[in-house]
Amino acid sequence: MIQNAGIVGLGALGILFGQKLTEALGKEQVYVFADKERIDRYRKEGVYANGRRCDFTYVESKDAPAVDLLIYATKYYSLEEAVRSSAGACGESTIVISLLNGVSSEVLIEKLLHPVHLLYCVAQGMDATREGNRLRYSKAGSLAFGEKNNERSESVLLLEELLQRAGIAYEIPEDIIHKMWSKWMLNVGVNQVIMVYEGTYGTIQKPGEARDTMIAAMEEVIELSGHENTGVTREDMEGYL
């Protein structure tokens, strides 16, 4: 049974799932690992989820104890530093997951940390928005996770049991790599096109140049998927559209 957890990164997903795990396991069993400067700021200014102050236990990364579950929820550009600084939190039995978008964070974590129990994971379906130290959301979404080879391992079963205890929705897909690439296809199409057109989610949901550009970007991922044998198809794209 997973009895404690450590979180690196208090972005939207770090706050959201950190709060849910804290409520399920207790404040003393969930750690937020960060450097001293960030911890001082968190304690002074607070961290809030839907208007409620989160009662997190903060520990400097250099002093991180080994935990049963280690979660990375940073931005990708800071992931390498985060992994190196929190390496002490990964013991021989620690299950490690990444909540980062994309398809490469697990590769970097495995290269730097060499965890024995690394599960592949992707967060989906949440409408979380973080402004400064405050998170707002109405849909918590879910986690899709699994072994790279899709085996129903002990690590998968332990994480499943924890998510059930914490009331966190989840999915264990038949092919987690395909699931991650499908989500990445969505992000490639939606996020970057909205930025370029300085629009909103509504911008790419109506016929026009922005939506056509989004579809073209998603089609590029389908082509890349063929080279990586990750199985993303136009049917997957149509499902997201």
Side-chain angles (χ1 to χ4, degrees):
M1 178 181 291
I2 295 174
Q3 297 180 326
N4 55 47
I7 299 171
V8 185
L10 278 187
L13 297 183
I15 297 173
L16 194 160
F17 291 110
Q19 179 70 357
K20 288 185 172 293
L21 290 175
T22 297
E23 292 173 352
L25 297 176
K27 176 184 176 181
E28 297 79 12
Q29 301 301 324
V30 180
Y31 309 103
V32 172
F33 301 132
D35 58 44
K36 185 178 185 303
E37 182 180 350
R38 287 180 185 271
I39 290 174
D40 289 343
R41 187 170 73 249
Y42 293 150
R43 285 173 172 162
K44 179 181 178 181
E45 300 176 358
V47 175
Y48 295 83
N50 284 341
R52 293 174 52 205
R53 182 165 179 149
C54 300
D55 191 17
F56 291 139
T57 296
Y58 300 105
V59 176
E60 287 192 52
S61 295
K62 64 181 181 63
D63 300 323
V67 291
D68 295 337
L69 174 65
L70 179 58
I71 301 171
Y72 287 100
T74 66
K75 297 295 186 183
Y76 189 83
Y77 62 79
S78 60
L79 179 60
E80 180 173 349
E81 179 184 355
V83 171
R84 292 187 187 279
S85 65
S86 60
C90 184
E92 291 186 3
S93 60
T94 301
I95 298 170
V96 181
I97 63 172
S98 163
L99 303 185
L100 280 70
N101 278 327
V103 294
S104 56
S105 63
E106 284 83 2
V107 176
L108 180 59
I109 291 170
E110 189 165 28
K111 176 183 176 182
L112 297 175
L113 199 59
H114 308 295
V116 178
H117 307 284
L118 174 67
L119 297 181
Y120 282 61
C121 181
V122 61
Q124 55 189 8
M126 60 280 302
D127 60 358
T129 300
R130 177 174 173 257
E131 297 177 357
N133 61 342
R134 294 179 180 271
L135 171 72
R136 292 182 294 103
Y137 69 91
S138 60
K139 298 178 182 178
S142 64
L143 298 180
F145 65 93
E147 294 279 3
K148 186 177 182 179
N149 63 3
N150 300 306
E151 175 190 354
R152 283 272 183 155
S153 66
E154 182 182 5
S155 297
V156 170
L157 297 178
L158 286 171
L159 183 55
E160 179 181 30
E161 189 275 334
L162 172 64
L163 297 182
Q164 289 176 347
R165 267 191 285 153
I168 296 173
Y170 68 90
E171 173 190 1
I172 305 175
E174 293 184 2
D175 187 336
I176 183 59
I177 302 300
H178 173 264
K179 187 73 173 181
M180 292 173 64
W181 269 73
S182 296
K183 173 69 186 308
W184 184 50
M185 172 183 64
L186 176 69
N187 289 131
V188 167
V190 173
N191 296 350
Q192 293 166 121
V193 171
I194 287 176
M195 179 187 69
V196 168
Y197 284 87
E198 299 181 346
T200 67
Y201 290 125
T203 305
I204 45 86
Q205 292 187 54
K206 57 187 179 184
E209 182 179 334
R211 184 173 177 84
D212 293 342
T213 304
M214 175 192 69
I215 292 173
M218 294 170 76
E219 288 172 338
E220 289 187 9
V221 176
I222 294 175
E223 183 175 352
L224 286 172
S225 175
H227 294 285
E228 290 291 324
N229 297 315
T230 55
V232 181
T233 66
R234 292 194 65 86
E235 184 177 355
D236 295 313
M237 182 179 73
E238 291 295 335
Y240 278 111
L241 292 177

